[in-house]
Amino acid sequence: MRVIDASSTLRFATGVTAAALALVLAAACESGGGTEPSGTARRIVVWQMGEGSPEQTRFLDGVKAEFRRMHPQTDVRVEYVPWPQATQKFQTAIAGGSGPDVTEVGNTDVRSWIQQGAFADIGAKVSHWAEGHDLSQGALANDQVDGRTYAVPWYGGVRAVWYRKDWFRDLHLQPPASWAQLVAVARRIQKAKGVPGIAAPSDFTNGILSFVWANGGDVAAKQNGRWTGTLAGPQAREAIEFYAGLVSKEKVAPDAYIGKNELQGPQQDFALGKVGMYMDGSWALPQLEKINKKGAPNWGVFPIPGRDGGLAPVFSGGSDLAVWNDSRHKDLAFDYLTVLDGKRNAQAFATTLKFLPQFSDVLRSGTYQNDPIMGPFARAAEAGVRFTPASKGWADYEGAKKVLPNAVKAIMQGASADQELKKADEQAGSLLNE
Amino acid sequence: MIETVEEAGRRVRGSPDPGSPTGPVRRRVRLGPYLLILPSLVVIGVLLVWPVIQIGRMSLQNVGVRQLRGRPAENVGLANYRRILGDDLFWTALRHTVLFAAVAVTATLIAGTLTGLLLGSLGRRMSALVTGGIMVAWATPQVTAAIVFSWLFGTTGGLVGWFLDLLPDGLVGSGWQSYNWFARPLPTYTVLTLCVVWMSFPFIAVSVLAGLRTVPDELYEAARVDGSTAWQRFWKITFPLLRPIFGVLLTLAVIWDFRVFTQLFVLSGLANRDAFNLSLYGYSEAFGSLNAKYGLGSAIAVVLTLIVLLVTAVHVRTVIRQEGAA
């Protein structure tokens, strides 16, 4: 009896092992794939960042239809990659060779990915693309390394200060034009409305940098091919002390946002009328309306002011489009890219997202200059768009180590600015030169 | 009871007699069990042992995305380990990990044991109700639980802040509604401890209850007749008899709490480095930036694994010794 049992279990076990092996082999074959010649592909895969809102899906369906009029044989599959997962997804794809044909990529990340060999050199293709000649040259420069072009700008945006028009009217306030006025206005709101005057989150590198740049400072400077941290310099330090001081010295910003970014509280609180002002991009409008549609008519925007007047330079955030280096259908991929990033489609999509398209001639048009919400953002962008240090190590400085946010957090909690910023500069020296 | 089990074991182990005529048949039968566990062994080997070996190897190398694509990885010897040990943040993270584990394990075991004893003294229906209730906490996915706790302790509309503000100011102070629970390590770890203990005590409770069911009622009756208190009954009867169960539960709790990642990741995240534990530290080094540093991350993982293995090994040894002595 037991002998029979054993042999039947043996057969069963072998069966299971064989089945498992078959599965592994099948998976291996699938990932190996066939080799289709470029140009006759049945499908290209496109990665889009975000959750895939109905508007985005509708827009991409239109782009697909337009593309298929050029290439009826080719299907387009769009896959959405939520922003927080983008890094992991890209890393896995580069390592495993399972990437898309075309992808959207955040403009802060694009240089790191280029240096890791993720994207194809599309310089020759771009130069033959008629509309490509009107692309904003400043934004395009961010996609170029050693004279080669690896991506093209798609949409972009800058940050400004969102405020309550109704409260400003009640209290006879004007949009502040200097840092001192910013504090004064925040204090008036705090006293009269019983809510914190302004939100100053600490995990907010790209916003804090506006203050640093406005004061003539910077994160780091490149001399003789080496990066040196410059946050401890007097100009940068004064700006950071001002920003941190909104919480610790002036007390016009709450400590509730220490260790948070602008989406982890400030945005929601502003929409609900629980904080007077907060800094964010034009792209925040759809989300603000989702939180509190009724408040929308009272929201206004003014550019981040300079220290004693003028406008602060702003960081330009946005997305670029690239052709994946492992793509077997690079020509098709680029054709799709030109449809997606054609002037008409790029402007339509930027408008649904409340971003700005990246064509200089389109931006100069009245459509953008006269818009009540987009106008201040366009003005801010005009005043001077800046980028963070063009070093591969910036991803470590900002992404992994969060050097500036942690320094600002410590200063807000009473640490010495001098000491914290010197530490930050030491890290800049080692991380940016890696 | 323990004796009977051991006798049975001796009988089973002693039975295959090489001299007996059934010997050859038995030997053929013996192949079966090994073949049966072969698939599991293969799966464990592929999914667990091989990755562990890889991590050990990678911790001695400089590995980024390019190396995963097939570029030869540069061997750096112990440089990754030297870099970690020279990093102040590693020692902060280590301190957080150990202190948190000590507090959370103690709290989990106490809460779980008390609940288990409560369940044991409840009637059948009530016991089922309470068990069902606490199992919901056990079954809640970690991410879900962490998000719920981050809402409870949030600055806008957080239930805990709202409730604390309702209490008299003389008792708890004021301003809780806007209190930032995640700005400093101590309040962060207070919330984390609540969250982790809330999720893990039900398992302890149910295991203790299962153990209690095996203790003969006569022992408690006799103790009661002798005029014992509940405290004495627990330490003189329940605890000694359930010692092996407590041993396993302690080991499990230590392993869980040393490795906590998800909840802390959701609650305070990568932006608050001053509140890192070893898991978060390793994650931020390996995956935090676009320039992945798998070698460095692996080294941190190896250190964490060694610490957990060490703690567990010491503990398992004492348990085995006690068992042997008993």
Side-chain angles (χ1 to χ4, degrees):
Chain A
M1 192 62 202
R2 293 194 64 174
V3 179
I4 294 164
D5 268 350
S7 66
S8 71
T9 45
L10 190 150
R11 239 179 289 130
F12 173 72
T14 336
V16 170
T17 321
L21 262 177
L23 269 177
V24 171
L25 286 177
C29 289
E30 202 172 339
S31 66
T35 43
E36 280 173 289
S38 189
T40 61
R42 260 188 250 120
R43 191 175 70 192
I44 59 168
V45 176
V46 177
W47 280 1
Q48 291 283 299
M49 302 298 138
E51 317 286 341
S53 65
E55 300 86 37
Q56 196 173 0
T57 313
R58 218 171 14 250
F59 166 75
L60 289 167
D61 285 345
V63 171
K64 176 178 165 180
E66 202 175 315
F67 171 76
R68 291 202 64 182
R69 278 200 289 280
M70 287 162 67
H71 299 283
Q73 304 294 316
T74 309
D75 192 16
V76 176
R77 194 172 83 201
V78 173
E79 291 173 4
Y80 290 100
V81 181
W83 278 111
Q85 287 163 30
T87 302
Q88 274 265 292
K89 185 100 179 169
F90 272 50
Q91 280 174 0
T92 322
I94 297 172
S98 57
D101 295 288
V102 179
T103 187
E104 175 183 356
V105 55
N107 70 349
T108 41
D109 305 345
V110 70
R111 285 181 162 266
S112 286
W113 294 127
I114 291 172
Q115 271 158 3
Q116 301 196 32
F119 305 142
D121 176 2
I122 49 173
K125 293 189 174 82
V126 173
S127 61
H128 289 112
W129 172 34
E131 288 187 331
H133 298 290
D134 292 326
L135 283 169
S136 156
Q137 290 304 305
L140 187 62
N142 191 45
D143 298 327
Q144 293 169 325
V145 173
D146 301 332
R148 292 161 195 264
T149 306
Y150 293 91
V152 289
W154 186 24
Y155 61 80
V158 298
R159 287 179 177 79
V161 185
W162 288 84
Y163 73 103
R164 291 285 298 263
K165 285 191 285 189
D166 51 341
W167 290 358
F168 271 51
R169 245 192 332 264
D170 288 355
L171 304 170
H172 308 291
L173 298 170
Q174 290 298 314
S178 69
W179 291 0
Q181 286 179 23
L182 187 69
V183 173
V185 163
R187 185 161 290 133
R188 283 288 307 282
I189 295 174
Q190 192 155 303
K191 281 211 176 108
K193 299 293 174 186
V195 298
I198 188 167
S202 66
D203 185 10
F204 193 48
T205 304
N206 294 340
I208 297 171
L209 284 181
S210 270
F211 291 91
V212 174
W213 288 330
N215 210 27
D218 207 342
V219 195
K222 198 171 190 177
Q223 286 161 342
N224 307 325
R226 274 193 72 77
W227 289 97
T228 320
T230 52
L231 283 178
Q235 290 143 325
R237 200 184 66 206
E238 190 191 27
I240 289 169
E241 279 177 327
F242 168 77
Y243 185 84
L246 292 171
V247 176
S248 55
K249 193 163 133 261
E250 309 286 355
K251 301 202 188 302
V252 292
D255 64 4
Y257 309 131
I258 293 180
K260 311 253 170 94
N261 62 38
E262 74 273 29
L263 306 180
Q264 294 168 322
Q267 184 179 66
Q268 169 191 291
D269 291 352
F270 174 76
L272 297 174
K274 289 177 191 290
V275 65
M277 299 177 275
Y278 98 109
M279 283 165 270
D280 205 340
S282 47
W283 56 84
L285 184 60
Q287 190 56 33
L288 288 168
E289 285 178 337
K290 209 162 142 189
I291 299 168
N292 182 13
K293 181 95 188 162
K294 274 183 285 182
N298 288 323
W299 299 331
V301 182
F302 60 83
I304 299 173
R307 183 175 180 273
D308 303 305
L311 304 184
V314 278
F315 172 80
S316 175
S319 274
D320 301 345
L321 292 170
V323 172
W324 201 259
N325 204 11
D326 286 338
S327 166
R328 287 195 303 269
H329 319 295
K330 292 198 177 65
D331 291 335
L332 279 171
F334 190 77
D335 279 354
Y336 178 84
L337 188 152
T338 55
V339 176
L340 184 58
D341 202 14
K343 278 182 193 169
R344 198 171 39 81
N345 280 333
Q347 188 179 348
F349 188 56
T351 306
T352 56
L353 289 181
K354 294 289 169 197
F355 267 91
L356 302 166
Q358 298 289 290
F359 292 100
S360 313
D361 53 335
V362 180
L363 274 178
R364 279 193 299 268
S365 69
T367 331
Y368 287 100
Q369 294 298 325
N370 304 329
D371 187 289
I373 293 284
M374 297 311 277
F377 286 106
R379 276 210 308 285
E382 240 176 313
V385 167
R386 294 279 291 264
F387 286 98
T388 45
S391 151
K392 180 176 166 232
W394 178 255
D396 297 295
Y397 184 89
E398 166 57 12
K401 311 276 185 189
K402 296 227 177 241
V403 177
L404 181 60
N406 279 282
V408 171
K409 175 180 174 179
I411 297 168
M412 283 175 173
Q413 292 178 329
S416 138
D418 199 42
Q419 225 174 331
E420 288 298 323
L421 295 175
K422 274 189 183 136
K423 269 198 294 187
D425 283 347
E426 274 168 33
Q427 291 205 282
S430 65
L431 294 171
L432 297 181
N433 292 313
E434 256 179 26
Chain B
M1 226 187 131
I2 292 164
E3 279 80 3
T4 38
V5 172
E6 276 177 5
E7 272 165 29
R10 235 172 277 134
R11 245 186 293 120
V12 173
R13 256 174 274 141
S15 51
D17 181 1
S20 80
T22 50
V25 179
R26 293 241 173 234
R27 214 160 281 145
R28 267 178 64 202
V29 173
R30 271 191 169 179
L31 211 68
Y34 290 106
L35 281 172
L36 266 178
I37 61 167
L38 185 68
S40 336
L41 279 182
V42 169
V43 170
I44 290 175
V46 171
L47 296 183
L48 197 71
V49 179
W50 181 238
V52 167
I53 295 171
Q54 287 283 327
I55 284 176
R57 204 168 55 94
M58 277 162 65
S59 73
L60 303 173
Q61 294 175 330
N62 213 342
V63 188
V65 171
R66 280 177 183 268
Q67 280 71 33
L68 291 192
R69 293 207 65 161
R71 280 215 187 170
E74 177 198 353
N75 274 311
V76 292
L78 294 174
N80 285 331
Y81 290 95
R82 265 198 296 277
R83 197 159 147 187
I84 297 167
L85 297 183
D87 188 353
D88 288 343
L89 190 59
F90 167 79
W91 297 102
T92 312
L94 178 65
R95 197 173 63 236
H96 287 157
T97 309
V98 173
L99 285 177
F100 168 74
V103 173
V105 167
T106 315
T108 310
L109 285 178
I110 292 176
T113 308
L114 288 177
T115 317
L117 293 174
L118 172 74
L119 286 172
S121 57
L122 286 176
R124 187 172 282 271
R125 208 173 294 167
M126 205 56 198
S127 163
L129 185 74
V130 176
T131 313
I134 60 172
M135 284 324 262
V136 172
W138 164 252
T140 307
Q142 292 180 348
V143 177
T144 316
I147 290 175
V148 168
F149 271 77
S150 75
W151 284 343
L152 284 175
F153 289 87
T155 42
T156 304
L159 201 65
V160 172
W162 171 81
F163 178 74
L164 285 175
D165 266 355
L166 286 186
L167 295 177
D169 284 1
L171 205 63
V172 292
S174 62
W176 287 104
Q177 288 237 34
S178 58
Y179 183 70
N180 185 348
W181 287 88
F182 306 109
R184 288 175 191 274
L186 189 63
T188 302
Y189 275 87
T190 310
V191 178
L192 181 70
T193 308
L194 285 173
C195 181
V196 169
V197 170
W198 177 77
M199 294 197 67
S200 41
F201 88 90
F203 180 76
I204 310 286
V206 174
S207 306
V208 168
L209 178 66
L212 278 178
R213 297 262 197 251
T214 65
V215 179
D217 275 345
E218 294 81 7
L219 292 177
Y220 292 111
E221 272 165 34
R224 243 180 245 117
V225 170
D226 289 344
S228 67
T229 62
W231 181 257
Q232 287 171 325
R233 282 197 296 278
F234 177 77
W235 287 110
K236 302 272 181 199
I237 302 173
T238 317
F239 186 73
L241 282 175
L242 299 191
R243 196 190 287 273
I245 291 181
F246 280 113
V248 172
L249 292 179
L250 179 65
T251 314
L252 281 177
V254 166
I255 294 174
W256 290 335
D257 291 346
F258 261 99
R259 304 183 315 176
V260 160
F261 171 81
T262 313
Q263 291 94 329
L264 188 61
F265 184 78
V266 173
L267 288 174
S268 79
L270 293 179
N272 294 291
R273 292 170 71 80
D274 52 350
F276 270 11
N277 66 3
L278 279 182
S279 311
L280 235 64
Y281 177 58
Y283 178 88
S284 89
E285 292 295 330
F287 306 106
S289 95
L290 301 142
N291 313 319
K293 292 189 178 57
Y294 301 120
L296 205 58
S298 301
I300 298 167
V302 168
V303 171
L304 180 58
T305 312
L306 286 179
I307 294 173
V308 175
L309 278 181
L310 195 75
V311 174
T312 325
V314 168
H315 174 67
V316 168
R317 228 179 101 137
T318 42
V319 168
I320 290 172
R321 275 205 183 148
Q322 280 169 351
E323 299 251 298

